[in-house]
Amino acid sequence: MTGRVQDKIAVITGGASGLGDATARMLAREGAKVVLADIDEAQGNRVADSIAGAIFIRHDVTQEADWEHLIAAATERFGRLDILVNCAGISRLGPPEDETLERWRALMAVNLDGVFLGTKHAIRAMKKNRPLGGSIVNLSSIEGIVGNPNLGSYNASKGGVRLYTKSVALYCAKARLGIRVNSVHPALIWTPMVENQLRERGVENTEMARRTMDFMHPIGRMGEPDDVAYGVLYLASDEAKFVTGTELVIDGGYTAQ
Ligand SMILES: NC(=O)c1ccc[n+]([C@@H]2O[C@H](COP(=O)([O-])OP(=O)(O)OC[C@H]3O[C@@H](n4cnc5c(N)ncnc54)[C@H](O)[C@@H]3O)[C@@H](O)[C@H]2O)c1
């Protein structure tokens, strides 16, 4: 039996946690060889050790030298690069009048510079593939489509990811590079990112908070990491061979309202 991404080589940033972890497991289950990348070395190694054939490489998405090292290591180990999932990201809550330029820039560095650098170095590696082919999947958010009064920097970064994805998709398509580029837009998914945000806000009753967040989604619940991983799997696979520059919204109806 062959998997939906059988023998494809996939790099997943932010692979040590949440959606990156779930995506790595999903792609591996469907036959891909996965390279997990993250700044969290301990957790990244733990996840890689639990996935057959996976390797972990310490990597900071904001550093271009780290990208050069990561892509070189992946292609040296496995011979090519077929899939890049730009999943690493951070969020920050707060009113715009209290935001500092330092924190704004720090968030942009991870959420936007990281996607820019990853996309650049993935194109350079993927264009060498014969036969031509490659899929870049960028994690944006519903917050890249609709605004939130206390998520200004996050909204700006994820909106940037959404449109940058379309620009690069057009570039790759028109240059006939065979590389597809798409964005994914989840609503609230229960991951360490969301749990940490609650903790930062001093929320003690996380069960109650979770129920409140469930009701924000017309479907009646928050998402699970695999709800997103299935979407990434589709975009990464050849089933999506005519899909580029699209935005796959996975939000339980949140943005349909
Ligand atoms: N969880 C949600 O509700 C949700 C919704 C929409 C979009 N997203 C997006 O999905 C992606 C994954 O989110 P998550 O919920 O799994 O978050 P998470 O906090 O569970 O995982 C993020 C991972 O990124 C890593 N990371 C942070 N900064 C990094 C850096 N500079 N270099 C390399 N790795 C770094 C962290 O170590 C962590 O392992 C993010 O881009 C996030 O914005 C999440």
Side-chain angles (χ1 to χ4, degrees), residues 4-5 12-14 17-27 29-30 83-88 135-143 154 158 182-194 217 219 221-237 239 247-254:
R4 292 170 63 186
V5 284
I12 299 120
T13 73
S17 175
L19 303 184
D21 174 337
T23 297
R25 290 179 199 283
M26 177 77 69
L27 293 176
R29 217 158 36 233
E30 291 296 332
I83 299 163
L84 170 66
V85 185
N86 279 313
C87 197
S135 172
I136 300 172
V137 182
N138 294 328
L139 263 293
S140 177
S141 167
I142 53 165
E143 305 296 347
Y154 190 71
K158 293 299 183 180
N182 294 289
S183 56
V184 175
H185 301 258
L188 282 165
I189 316 290
W190 191 255
T191 68
M193 177 183 274
V194 173
H217 302 78
I219 220 165
R221 65 164 180 87
M222 294 176 72
E224 297 158 6
D226 272 358
D227 292 330
V228 178
Y230 275 116
V232 176
L233 170 65
Y234 166 67
L235 293 171
S237 79
E239 296 160 17
E247 44 191 278
L248 179 55
V249 178
I250 303 175
D251 72 349
Y254 189 104

Side-chain angles (χ1 to χ4, degrees), residues 125-138:
M126 287 173 177
K127 70 196 276 193
K128 296 182 194 145
N129 290 344
R130 295 293 178 275
L132 284 174
S135 172
I136 300 172
V137 182
N138 294 328

Side-chain angles (χ1 to χ4, degrees), residues 12 15 20-29 32-36 44-56:
I12 299 120
D21 174 337
T23 297
R25 290 179 199 283
M26 177 77 69
L27 293 176
R29 217 158 36 233
K33 297 186 171 68
V34 305
V35 179
L36 290 144
N45 273 313
R46 262 196 294 278
V47 176
D49 287 348
S50 68
I51 301 175
I55 61 168
F56 171 75

